[in-house]
Amino acid sequence: MKLLSENKAFGGTHLRYSHTSTTTNCEMTFAIFLPPFASKEKPVPVLYWLSGLTCNDQNFMQKAGAMKLASELGMAIVAPDTSPRGEGVPDDAEGAYDFGLGAGFYVDAIQAPWDEHYNMYSYITEELPPLIEGEFPVTKEKAISGHSMGGHGALIIGMRNPNKYVSVSAFSPIANPSDCPWGEKALGNYLGSDKASWKDYDASELMASQTHYIPMLVEQGTKDEFLQEQLKPQSLVHAAQRSETQLTLNMHEGYDHSYFFIASFIEEHLEFHAGHMGLI
């Protein structure tokens, strides 16, 4: 790993690293916040945060205002990049923001040329946690959260791996990517035209298929400009009703899709995860 930057924050430390990834076959970047007094003798649990379209490892760390409470709770936060990057990593031919670089959608691609690098699902679930647990004073106990595309990623990863995460939450998630323009474009290109293969990466499809016992919390603003066309939280609610899954969805009047919304409610999410980690 290569240390890119180090900053003191709220008594803890914010660090950025790059490393060579075997799952994405390129250099990847992640940020980690370590609370005060985290040590090999007193390791701390981890919240993984997955960001949305066009974002990288820094958006959440700089805009969400999460580090103060994480410091007080004794919780580490890891924020990976949202896609592979670098020379030789393919991008959308027209440079669109909703596919390619910055838009990995947390899937393992099976279509060329994307399958060589776009394996963000395996990167998040299989490669990054052992790296974090081996290099930093953290426990194996972890939760996962995210925003928009990252909210989609957090939900599918949490539901597909309930034994790996104690809780999952999301802000404004793409709840039914099989039935929205962003998701249809991404899943169609990364996975191909057979929509049966999309179901493993669709939170509403996963939730409808069986009861999920991992605690789930979702926030959504009513003034979100992407609410009706792209996000479709009602699909998640209907799926939870069909499978009798416990899901908490909080609708917030007047809030949009921005980090103003995330910053307004991030403390409730940190406390939600901290409760399942046994920190409070």
Side-chain angles (χ1 to χ4, degrees):
M1 296 194 305
K2 179 182 178 181
L3 178 65
L4 302 178
S5 65
E6 180 175 350
N7 303 95
K8 196 76 172 176
F10 300 102
T13 309
H14 170 272
L15 303 143
R16 293 186 75 214
Y17 285 90
S18 65
H19 72 104
T20 300
S21 167
T22 57
T23 51
T24 64
N25 295 305
C26 66
E27 286 291 305
M28 293 295 293
T29 302
F30 68 86
I32 181 169
F33 173 73
L34 293 171
F37 313 118
S39 65
K40 289 185 178 180
E41 292 72 29
K42 293 186 66 175
V44 297
V46 184
L47 173 65
Y48 285 81
W49 175 270
L50 307 182
S51 287
L53 292 167
T54 76
C55 294
N56 57 30
D57 63 286
Q58 284 299 279
N59 297 76
F60 178 80
M61 292 299 198
Q62 295 184 3
K63 295 180 180 180
M67 286 186 279
K68 183 176 187 295
L69 183 56
S71 178
E72 295 169 1
L73 291 169
M75 177 191 298
I77 301 175
V78 171
D81 203 348
T82 56
S83 81
R85 299 184 196 264
E87 187 176 353
V89 176
D91 193 9
D92 185 271
E94 298 177 355
Y97 74 94
D98 58 355
F99 183 72
L101 298 182
F105 264 82
Y106 305 104
V107 306
D108 282 349
I110 57 176
Q111 296 293 310
W114 317 105
D115 55 345
E116 183 179 355
H117 299 286
Y118 284 81
N119 299 302
M120 290 298 295
Y121 179 85
S122 289
Y123 177 71
I124 299 298
T125 60
E126 302 295 336
E127 183 174 7
L128 188 58
L131 176 65
I132 298 297
E133 292 159 14
E135 297 291 336
F136 300 99
V138 301
T139 68
K140 293 183 180 295
E141 192 169 45
K142 52 188 176 289
I144 191 163
S145 185
H147 172 233
S148 193
M149 178 186 71
H152 139 79
L155 289 172
I156 63 165
I157 287 171
M159 283 191 282
R160 288 179 60 175
N161 300 274
N163 295 326
K164 291 185 178 181
Y165 302 90
V166 298
S167 50
V168 57
S169 71
F171 288 81
S172 314
I174 303 172
N176 193 190
S178 298
D179 188 32
C180 76
W182 282 342
E184 290 172 350
K185 179 179 180 179
L187 299 182
N189 280 287
Y190 291 139
L191 303 178
S193 59
D194 181 8
K195 290 193 174 184
S197 66
W198 299 9
K199 292 183 178 181
D200 286 342
Y201 297 106
D202 187 310
S204 294
E205 293 284 350
L206 288 170
M207 189 170 289
S209 65
Q210 60 182 331
T211 301
H212 295 272
Y213 297 101
I214 186 169
M216 286 181 279
L217 173 64
V218 177
E219 310 291 333
Q220 178 63 62
T222 63
K223 294 295 185 181
D224 193 314
E225 60 268 40
F226 305 112
L227 179 60
Q228 300 302 326
E229 183 181 25
Q230 304 284 9
L231 306 180
K232 300 189 175 183
Q234 68 275 10
S235 297
L236 205 59
V237 173
H238 294 159
Q241 292 170 343
R242 286 170 56 190
S243 61
E244 299 183 348
T245 296
Q246 284 195 329
L247 167 71
T248 299
L249 171 64
N250 298 319
M251 298 295 297
H252 298 279
E253 186 67 32
Y255 284 88
D256 59 20
H257 198 70
S258 71
Y259 266 84
F260 292 107
F261 173 47
I262 297 171
S264 296
F265 299 100
I266 190 61
E267 292 190 352
E268 285 86 339
H269 280 240
L270 293 181
E271 289 169 351
F272 167 76
H273 294 298
H276 292 287
M277 292 172 171
L279 296 177
I280 56 176

